[in-house]
Amino acid sequence: MKPLNITSQAKSKRSDKSWYILSAGLIISVTVIFILDLQFFASTNFIRNTLNGKMLEVLSAADNFTNRFIDTMKHKLIIIDSDIPDSASEQHVTDRFSNHGNCTWPPLNLQGRTPLNRTDIPIEKLDKKYTFMADGHYKPKNCTAYQKIAIVVPYRDRQLQLRIFLNNVIPRIHRQQLEFGIYIVEQTAGSLFNRGMLSNIGFVQAMKDMAYDCVVIHDLDILPEDDRNFYICGDNPIHMATKVEKFKYRVPYHSFAGGISTFSRKQYEDINGFPNQFFGWGGEDDELFARIKRSNYKMTRPFDAHGHCGSVQHSGQRTGNDRMKMLQISRKIWKQDGLTDLEYNLVEKRRKQLYVWVYADINMAKVREKLKKLNSPSRK
Ligand code: BGN
């Protein structure tokens, strides 16, 4: 039994030794990996920012990184079909009509989702902050933009909201490296507010200035919170206001087309723009959705996580009492009511630094006079 003991002792000594070597090797490799990792994270600002307590910023940057390369590269949009409620199918959009520029796409300095800046900054200070804008227009200096965008905002008497709008939208669309013009289309006092007609006026006035690829009809009080919700056009109209703060970060109903929507020139002309006959709050966006469908387009929405929009409070507009009736009539007359029969009086068009101010007079009595003719029994 003795020799056997000696051998087993020797064996156990040997295995002790190899155990030490193995452990030492393991510790050394872990240390090396740790140091390399440290260098890697340090190089991506991870450690520096965590130590500074900037964890949130880093997380959003990481989120930005992943989503920029995965989602926006795919241009993932969702088709909305009102006939089948809640059946959203996904579509990969190609931009057949657009003149592709040579600016990096998607842009490199996007910030992902960031809260709105609600500070009221005087217009003179905004002018100084956004010196890259002139005559309500911006064009990237060293490259050609992916698309040229006209932002059209129906407006009346909301100066505070206008300043907040400018201070949020300008830097966001600037980071998106697009060429853009901002058109604030104000309705003179008198007739009830007509969002549809002001949108049509903005479209016409913008296209007079230059051949924009894309027009964005934008409410003053609904503002994107996410750079990845691009102000661009695709094969189909894009509805951008998909998770709106005032609707608990949802859409109020599946076919909601209000807030912010984008159209190529052709799309807007094909649907004959907005109806002109909706005076007062409500309904014109429902008719817009119907026009998109009637013209065989499909309304699309950005990838879910990118559609957050903040809302800026204001007192409401007077409701349009006959909007239900108008929705009925519009079904029959939509091809004659819109861009094709647009009549207004352009009181002023002034190029300010941050936007083009279009001041237009709409004569409600005259517009409604046309409705009588369009809707007369002899035309049915
Ligand atoms: C709807 C309005 C829309 C408005 C949304 C969200 C009408 C038409 C008669 C039913 N539609 O009710 O215009 O954008 O609410 O506020 O009023």
Side-chain angles (χ1 to χ4, degrees):
M1 294 303 280
K2 236 185 177 177
L4 209 123
N5 259 343
I6 290 163
T7 336
S8 77
Q9 259 181 7
K11 260 191 185 166
S12 99
K13 263 192 183 168
R14 226 179 298 147
S15 76
D16 271 0
K17 211 173 172 185
S18 53
W19 179 242
Y20 284 137
I21 292 170
L22 207 74
S23 317
L26 209 71
I27 290 167
I28 290 167
S29 348
V30 167
T31 318
V32 168
I33 290 171
F34 182 70
I35 289 169
L36 286 178
D37 260 9
L38 268 184
Q39 275 177 356
F40 169 71
F41 282 130
S43 73
T44 58
N45 282 342
F46 186 88
I47 285 196
R48 214 179 320 144
N49 286 332
T50 323
L51 291 178
N52 285 345
K54 285 188 179 171
M55 196 61 190
L56 262 176
E57 229 176 82
V58 177
L59 283 180
S60 73
D63 174 47
N64 172 22
F65 181 86
T66 341
N67 287 318
R68 179 151 47 80
F69 286 100
I70 296 172
D71 300 327
T72 59
M73 277 303 263
K74 284 198 266 171
H75 284 277
K76 199 189 265 179
L77 296 172
I78 295 168
I79 296 178
I80 301 305
D81 194 328
S82 68
D83 295 341
I84 323 161
D86 295 325
S87 75
S89 55
E90 286 177 4
Q91 182 201 23
H92 295 270
V93 172
T94 53
D95 306 289
R96 270 180 244 134
F97 65 87
S98 64
N99 328 319
H100 284 270
N102 59 6
C103 292
T104 324
W105 191 262
L108 294 174
N109 55 349
L110 297 180
Q111 286 186 0
R113 189 178 171 195
T114 46
L116 294 190
N117 181 348
R118 293 169 195 273
T119 320
D120 180 19
I121 300 177
I123 204 82
E124 302 75 36
K125 283 204 174 155
L126 291 178
D127 284 351
K128 285 193 186 123
K129 196 170 170 191
Y130 303 117
T131 45
F132 54 79
M133 301 249 341
D135 293 335
H137 191 261
Y138 167 76
K139 187 179 179 173
K141 276 210 177 75
N142 304 318
C143 56
T144 320
Y146 178 72
Q147 285 180 10
K148 297 190 279 296
I149 315 294
I151 307 269
V152 169
V153 188
Y155 176 85
R156 181 184 256 177
D157 193 25
R158 286 183 187 166
Q159 287 167 13
L160 166 67
Q161 284 81 7
L162 175 58
R163 292 191 292 269
I164 295 176
F165 173 91
L166 295 168
N167 195 30
N168 281 277
V169 169
I170 293 175
R172 207 175 288 288
I173 186 165
H174 182 246
R175 283 196 293 274
Q176 293 182 349
Q177 283 208 53
L178 297 160
E179 177 170 350
F180 64 96
I182 297 181
Y183 292 82
I184 305 293
V185 192
E186 179 168 356
Q187 185 178 342
T188 56
S191 302
L192 276 173
F193 190 68
N194 189 330
R195 177 175 179 261
M197 202 156 163
L198 291 172
S199 305
N200 291 341
I201 295 170
F203 173 85
V204 170
Q205 288 299 327
M207 291 303 177
K208 273 189 186 180
D209 285 350
M210 63 181 289
Y212 284 104
D213 299 308
C214 181
V215 62
V216 181
I217 308 299
H218 207 312
D219 274 359
L220 191 69
D221 61 337
I222 298 185
L223 308 173
E225 290 178 353
D226 200 311
D227 283 5
R228 296 162 299 181
N229 198 355
F230 288 105
Y231 283 109
I232 54 166
C233 282
D235 286 351
N236 283 285
I238 301 173
H239 178 237
M240 291 173 64
T242 59
K243 283 174 171 260
V244 183
E245 189 182 4
K246 69 174 169 191
F247 304 126
K248 299 193 176 117
Y249 280 112
R250 276 182 298 208
V251 278
Y253 47 92
H254 193 62
S255 61
F256 174 64
I260 316 167
S261 24
T262 85
F263 304 85
S264 69
R265 183 185 195 137
K266 180 171 187 320
Q267 287 161 8
Y268 201 80
E269 283 167 356
D270 285 350
I271 66 169
N272 197 16
F274 270 85
N276 294 323
Q277 294 291 349
F278 286 70
F279 286 87
W281 179 90
E284 84 295 336
D285 48 354
D286 300 312
E287 169 58 16
L288 181 83
F289 181 77
R291 288 174 181 224
I292 293 172
K293 290 214 70 186
R294 288 183 208 125
S295 314
N296 292 322
Y297 285 115
K298 294 183 188 302
M299 191 170 80
T300 55
R301 291 200 170 125
F303 184 64
D304 230 21
H306 302 171
H308 294 90
C309 294
S311 14
V312 184
Q313 278 188 346
H314 59 81
S315 53
Q317 293 284 352
R318 261 178 61 197
T319 313
N321 294 330
D322 54 3
R323 60 195 198 285
M324 294 296 258
K325 192 174 123 208
M326 280 307 152
L327 279 170
Q328 294 295 323
I329 299 174
S330 286
R331 275 194 222 168
K332 294 173 275 170
I333 62 155
W334 71 281
K335 286 196 174 161
Q336 285 86 46
D337 171 37
L339 272 184
T340 43
D341 74 326
L342 185 64
E343 263 184 73
Y344 60 98
N345 178 22
L346 181 63
V347 181
E348 197 166 346
K349 184 174 186 181
R350 196 189 302 166
R351 286 166 215 284
K352 306 198 179 198
Q353 186 188 323
L354 304 183
Y355 61 89
V356 181
W357 179 53
V358 178
Y359 195 39
D361 184 52
I362 296 172
N363 185 338
M364 181 169 172
K366 214 169 149 193
V367 176
R368 279 298 161 91
E369 199 55 43
K370 251 192 265 175
L371 180 68
K372 273 193 205 145
K373 280 186 213 147
L374 286 172
N375 196 36
S376 70
S378 59
R379 289 187 61 109
K380 278 179 192 169

